[in-house]
């Protein structure tokens, strides 16, 4: 049985029940950051209710799980205003809404096994430092050091390489047999691109994927790291590997990859260890989950929306517009977090100085006051580039054009090869309040063109 | 008024514009390649980056504060860089020439 909402999207009985349950809860108990809502998609009902009833929402400690208290911005206009006001909404020391790190965790990348509790605590107290968790002027120094790696000229040089790899990946896929599209295509293509961006050995590219997956997830059974010890060890491995490479690149002729650019930046000699691993980590995650999950998302969405799929196949010129619509609908990173630098009043609520604020891009991208029929996936909608997924302001996604390029190329190459790609069952979705993605998605390609 | 966009491939396109519009909006309405205007004209995405021809530098005025912040994190910025969403069309800019940078 399905129930139609006013705006024309249909819910299963299970979803309708979840929605009813969420609408029956006291507002102050709503915790949009609870990762348990994400695999089911139920966070959309929370955001739908918050946009209507409590657009600037406070989740107190007692209802935040282990996140500790925080604010949520759920309307497009408030998210854009906060994202573009780095003086009121500071990125210093913060990237996302996560459980505060323990001293052991914070120190893990730098701990050779001899650190005292005091040394670990000092590292924890200094907090996160990276190009995504800094305000001006440090932000410009760190971003400026590496931005050339995804400059328009560099992307133009990368396009034929990406196209050749996409073709090889697609030509190797089995026909008429079920396989995991996430592993065989989405991860494979983005891992190759990531290895190029870091000039990291291609044969070890899956190491980059693993480090990124571990960094963005809590350890547990079935997760990229099963235990905290495994997670901490992987973060140390990443730090040691990146520091070694950067040290070596200082002695080599300058190249255009991120690590050479960082090595040859006059500022990088003065980076702290925290900053070095912070910048490398942001570039790693930024180039990994985002594009990968949007590629998988496009396969899922076009399978579930046959009319949109027919439009695309009839008119491949819609690829760029389909790519933007998928980036909006998927919102592969659900939010970024900031900290207020003084009391800030929005829509009658006062956010006290120093509180954390989550800017929920995922919610803003479904805001009906900004985007008509926002829950629907429409590949030829009027302003497809109008979405929050890349963020706005000085921290706007550095690799957005590379993401669009990879999506465009893989679809151009898929359309000429395969008349259909069918998703079997429901994909396995990520258990995360930050990375909105797919762990596994079974597909069948019945035949080639 | 008329505005000329010098495109990334070296060709030029001259288009008609009414007064009081953001130059980015004029470009998007005329499908000028390389001008996307993703943020809707808030100087928050740098997808409408142009170089202003020397003879038009004074008439187009100074960079705004958010524009300055955004340009500090943008590719290929020069002294004559502007975000075209921060330039308003007016009779005083009739004949304006800008070069599309692309992003």
């Amino acid at each position: 049985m399905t129930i139609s909402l006013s705006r024309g999207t249909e819910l299963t009985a299970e979803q309708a029940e979840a929605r009813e349950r969420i609408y029956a809860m006291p507002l102050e108990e709503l915790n949009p950051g609870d990762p348990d809502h994400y695999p089911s998609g139920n966070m959309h009902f929370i955001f739908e209710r918050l946009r209507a009833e409590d657009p600037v929402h406070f989740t107190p400690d007692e209802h935040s799980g282990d996140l500790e208290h925080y604010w949520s911005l759920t309307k497009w206009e408030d998210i854009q205003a906060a994202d573009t006001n780095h003086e009121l909404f500071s990125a210093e020391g913060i990237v996302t809404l996560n459980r505060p790190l323990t001293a052991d965790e914070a120190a893990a990348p730098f701990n050779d096994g001899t650190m005292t509790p005091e040394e670990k605590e000092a590292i924890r107290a200094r907090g996160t430092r990276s190009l995504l968790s800094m305000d001006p002027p440090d932000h410009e120094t760190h971003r400026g050091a590496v931005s050339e790696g995804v400059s328009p000229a560099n992307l133009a040089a990368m396009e034929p390489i990406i196209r050749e790899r996409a073709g090889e990946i697609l030509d190797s896929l089995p026909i008429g047999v079920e396989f995991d599209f996430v592993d065989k295509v989405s991860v494979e293509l983005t891992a190759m691109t990531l290895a190029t961006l870091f000039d990291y050995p291609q044969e070890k590219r899956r190491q980059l994927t693993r480090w990124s997956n571990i960094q963005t997830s809590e350890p547990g059974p079935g997760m990229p790291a099963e235990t905290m010890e495994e997670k901490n060890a992987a973060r140390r491995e990443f730090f040691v590997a990146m520091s070694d490479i950067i040290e070596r690149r200082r002695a080599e002729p300058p190249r255009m990859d991120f690590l050479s650019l960082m090595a040859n930046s006059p500022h990088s000699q003065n980076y702290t260890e925290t900053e070095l691993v912070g910048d490398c980590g942001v570039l790693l995650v930024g180039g990994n989950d985002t594009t990968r999950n949007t590629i998988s998302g496009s396969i899922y969405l076009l399978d579930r929306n046959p009319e949109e799929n027919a439009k695309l196949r009839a008119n491949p010129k819609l690829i760029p517009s389909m790519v933007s619509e998928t980036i909006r609908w998927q919102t592969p990173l659900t939010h970024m977090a900031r900290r207020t630098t003084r009391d800030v009043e929005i829509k009658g609520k006062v956010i006290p100085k120093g509180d954390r604020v989550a800017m929920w891009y995922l919610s803003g991208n479904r805001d009906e006051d900004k985007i008509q029929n926002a829950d629907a996936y429409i590949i030829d909608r009027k302003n497809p580039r109008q979405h929050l997924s890349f963020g706005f302001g000085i921290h706007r996604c550095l690799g957005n054009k590379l993401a669009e390029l990879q999506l465009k190329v893989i679809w151009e190459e898929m359309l000429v090869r395969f008349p259909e790609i069918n998703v079997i069952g429901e994909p396995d979705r990520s258990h995360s309040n930050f990375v909105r993605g797919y762990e596994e998605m079974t597909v069948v390609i019945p035949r080639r063109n | 008024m008329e505005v000329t966009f010098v495109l990334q491939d070296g060709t030029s396109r001259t288009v008609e514009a009414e007064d009081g519009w953001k130059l980015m909006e004029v470009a998007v309405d005329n499908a000028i390649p390389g001008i996307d205007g993703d943020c809707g004209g808030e100087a928050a995405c740098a997808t409408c980056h142009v170089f202003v021809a020397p003879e038009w530098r004074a008439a187009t005025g100074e960079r705004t504060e958010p524009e300055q912040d955004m340009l500090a994190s943008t590719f290929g910025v020069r002294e004559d860089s502007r975000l075209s969403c921060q330039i308003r069309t007016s009779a005083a800019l009739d004949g304006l020439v800008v070069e599309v940078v692309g992003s």
Side-chain angles (χ1 to χ4, degrees):
Chain A
M1 188 192 85
T2 57
I3 296 167
S4 253
L5 288 176
S6 55
R7 58 175 175 277
T9 49
E10 294 197 332
L11 300 182
T12 63
E14 203 180 328
Q15 287 171 323
E17 202 179 298
R19 183 169 180 267
E20 214 165 290
R21 209 169 45 240
I22 284 163
Y23 272 78
M25 285 171 73
L27 267 180
E28 68 270 18
E29 289 182 21
L30 292 181
N31 179 16
D34 181 350
D36 288 350
H37 295 308
Y38 287 75
S40 61
N42 289 346
M43 70 290 177
H44 284 306
F45 305 131
I46 296 182
F47 288 129
E48 177 194 63
R49 184 170 174 211
L50 290 178
R51 284 194 301 273
E53 297 178 27
D54 195 27
V56 181
H57 176 70
F58 180 66
T59 304
D61 286 334
E62 61 270 32
H63 296 302
S64 74
D66 57 6
L67 295 175
E68 300 187 352
H69 66 276
Y70 65 96
W71 294 81
S72 289
L73 301 181
T74 61
K75 294 289 284 179
W76 177 296
E77 57 184 358
D78 297 327
I79 296 164
Q80 182 163 357
D83 217 358
T84 53
N85 192 336
H86 54 82
E87 280 154 14
L88 274 188
F89 294 89
S90 168
E92 204 62 50
I94 189 169
V95 182
T96 66
L97 201 61
N98 48 15
R99 173 181 61 79
L101 295 186
T102 63
D104 273 339
E105 289 173 77
F110 323 110
N111 187 357
D112 57 5
T114 64
M115 266 190 188
T116 64
E118 292 72 30
E119 287 170 322
K120 292 181 196 172
E121 173 53 27
I123 291 173
R124 191 205 60 77
R126 280 199 294 273
T128 307
R129 294 276 291 164
S130 75
L131 56 105
L132 204 49
S133 49
M134 286 174 184
D135 293 332
D138 290 358
H139 163 261
E140 281 72 23
T141 304
H142 281 251
R143 181 170 168 129
V146 293
S147 63
E148 200 67 21
V150 283
S151 67
N154 226 18
L155 295 198
M158 282 176 75
E159 178 165 351
I161 303 169
I162 294 171
R163 190 174 299 280
E164 192 188 328
R165 288 171 180 166
E168 283 170 14
I169 290 170
L170 297 175
D171 287 338
S172 75
L173 295 177
I175 297 298
V177 184
E178 292 186 2
F179 67 92
D180 175 19
F181 190 90
V182 172
D183 183 64
K184 281 228 173 350
V185 183
S186 310
V187 173
E188 192 60 359
L189 183 70
T190 50
M192 286 176 171
T193 306
L194 204 51
T196 299
L197 289 171
F198 279 67
D199 200 357
Y200 193 76
Q202 279 292 339
E203 64 277 13
K204 291 200 282 181
R205 61 183 174 269
R206 289 288 179 125
Q207 184 68 268
L208 297 173
T209 312
R210 179 174 162 268
W211 283 326
S212 178
N213 292 347
I214 289 178
Q215 180 164 323
T216 54
S217 63
E218 286 283 352
M223 301 300 279
E226 300 262 330
T227 62
M228 189 53 82
E229 289 67 40
E230 192 189 341
K231 176 168 180 166
N232 286 344
R235 291 172 58 230
R236 167 126 186 106
E237 261 171 49
F238 178 63
F239 168 70
V240 171
M242 293 300 114
S243 322
D244 283 354
I245 296 173
I246 289 171
E247 206 45 56
R248 271 186 280 134
R249 301 259 158 103
R250 289 202 166 111
E252 293 168 7
R255 296 197 299 267
M256 291 304 275
D257 65 276
F258 284 144
L259 300 181
S260 299
L261 288 164
M262 208 185 293
N264 290 298
S265 154
H267 304 284
S268 73
Q269 301 279 2
N270 302 323
Y271 286 5
T272 63
E273 291 186 329
T274 304
E275 290 171 348
L276 186 141
V277 78
D279 283 351
C280 291
V282 162
L283 296 168
L284 178 77
V285 173
N288 180 48
D289 299 285
T290 52
T291 307
R292 175 218 300 176
N293 288 320
T294 309
I295 294 175
S296 304
S298 65
I299 295 288
Y300 179 74
L301 286 163
L302 289 164
D303 178 86
R304 292 298 192 263
N305 295 275
E307 281 177 28
E308 302 306 304
N309 191 35
K311 280 185 208 166
L312 180 71
R313 288 180 180 273
N315 181 10
K317 286 205 175 70
L318 286 173
I319 288 176
S321 159
M322 178 278 289
V323 166
S324 289
E325 173 67 350
T326 307
I327 294 169
R328 178 191 73 87
W329 198 95
Q330 182 66 31
T331 319
L333 299 181
T334 63
H335 74 284
M336 289 281 156
R338 301 283 188 261
R339 218 179 266 284
T340 45
T341 56
R342 57 177 167 81
D343 292 3
V344 181
E345 185 175 338
I346 311 174
K347 292 194 163 65
K349 295 269 183 94
V350 177
I351 304 178
K353 175 182 173 175
D355 270 12
R356 289 179 307 163
V357 180
M359 304 177 291
W360 290 106
Y361 301 141
L362 181 61
S363 177
N365 276 338
R366 302 293 180 96
D367 185 348
E368 291 279 333
D369 288 339
K370 184 71 182 185
I371 295 168
Q372 275 182 7
N373 211 357
D375 278 338
Y377 179 69
I378 304 170
I379 67 165
D380 54 353
R381 65 166 68 239
K382 190 153 170 275
N383 293 308
R385 299 192 61 85
Q386 190 176 72
H387 62 71
L388 293 168
S389 301
F390 294 136
F392 284 130
I394 61 170
H395 293 290
R396 183 174 165 84
C397 175
L398 180 63
N400 58 341
K401 296 289 171 182
L402 177 58
E404 291 173 347
L405 175 65
Q406 291 185 81
L407 261 302
K408 178 181 84 101
V409 167
I410 193 83
W411 268 103
E412 285 170 355
E413 297 302 314
M414 284 197 289
L415 285 185
V416 298
R417 282 173 175 78
F418 310 130
E420 54 183 301
I421 304 170
N422 302 319
V423 176
I424 308 297
E426 278 296 308
D428 177 18
R429 294 181 170 83
S430 309
H431 185 264
S432 167
N433 69 15
F434 175 55
V435 175
R436 183 160 180 252
Y438 306 86
E439 301 302 317
E440 216 179 296
M441 183 167 14
T442 306
V443 304
V444 170
I445 300 174
R447 61 190 182 284
R448 292 182 206 280
N449 276 335
Chain B
M1 66 167 288
E2 278 187 356
V3 187
T4 298
F5 294 94
V6 179
L7 307 183
Q8 289 158 288
D9 65 6
T11 62
S12 290
R13 278 195 39 206
T14 300
V15 300
E16 286 287 328
E18 286 172 37
D19 287 3
W21 289 83
K22 292 171 175 175
L23 185 59
M24 176 276 286
E25 294 169 325
V26 173
V28 169
D29 284 349
N30 287 281
I32 300 294
I35 304 271
D36 294 329
D38 291 357
C39 76
E42 306 290 326
C45 70
T47 63
C48 66
H49 183 187
V50 296
F51 297 140
V52 176
E55 63 274 26
W56 290 101
R57 290 279 297 281
T60 47
E62 297 291 316
R63 294 173 184 169
T64 63
E65 202 182 310
E67 179 184 9
Q68 184 62 41
D69 287 344
M70 216 46 223
L71 286 171
S73 298
T74 301
F75 298 114
V77 172
R78 306 192 313 210
E79 217 178 310
D80 55 353
S81 285
R82 291 295 309 269
L83 296 180
S84 59
C85 69
Q86 302 298 298
I87 298 173
R88 285 255 173 210
T89 56
S90 70
L93 294 182
D94 187 18
L96 175 65
V97 180
V98 297
E99 186 184 333
V100 175
V101 183
S103 60

